[in-house]
Amino acid sequence: MASYTSSSPWYDTPVVGGVMDLYKPRYITAAEDDKVYIVDSYYNLRPDLLAWDLYENPKLWWVFAMRNPNIIRDPIFDLYTGQTILVTSPQTMNSILGL
């Protein structure tokens, strides 16, 4: 039976009969401590590296798309140099995801 850790984008998706059901997105809502961030060239198309540097967890590559759904539709190919996004603090992210 499939099970996903709390750092997974599929954590809230139900498993029915040992098979993943329809995807249920994990939304990252606005927080008071969100910061405006301009993507550095080092992170161009590399949300895993940005997640490591911000949250010390490369498995959180998907949170940037969930926090910025009107800007990032593809969590990898829509993260590019010079882009302005909102990022959530590590403490708030850990609280939201239950880490």
Side-chain angles (χ1 to χ4, degrees), residues 10-28:
W10 302 283
Y11 182 73
D12 290 338
T13 301
V15 175
V16 178
V19 178
M20 183 187 293
D21 200 6
L22 296 176
Y23 173 63
K24 181 180 175 191
R26 296 183 75 184
Y27 296 104
I28 308 295

Side-chain angles (χ1 to χ4, degrees), residues 28-72:
I28 308 295
T29 57
E32 288 183 22
D33 60 353
D34 283 353
K35 302 268 189 256
V36 173
Y37 178 78
I38 299 173
V39 178
D40 185 85
S41 62
Y42 180 72
Y43 303 114
N44 188 59
L45 306 180
R46 292 301 305 268
D48 58 326
L49 295 178
L50 182 57
W52 171 255
D53 287 345
L54 289 177
Y55 306 120
E56 296 183 358
N57 187 343
K59 293 180 181 179
L60 297 180
W61 55 269
W62 56 274
V63 301
F64 308 112
M66 292 292 105
R67 177 61 191 91
N68 299 276
N70 295 330
I71 299 169
I72 302 173

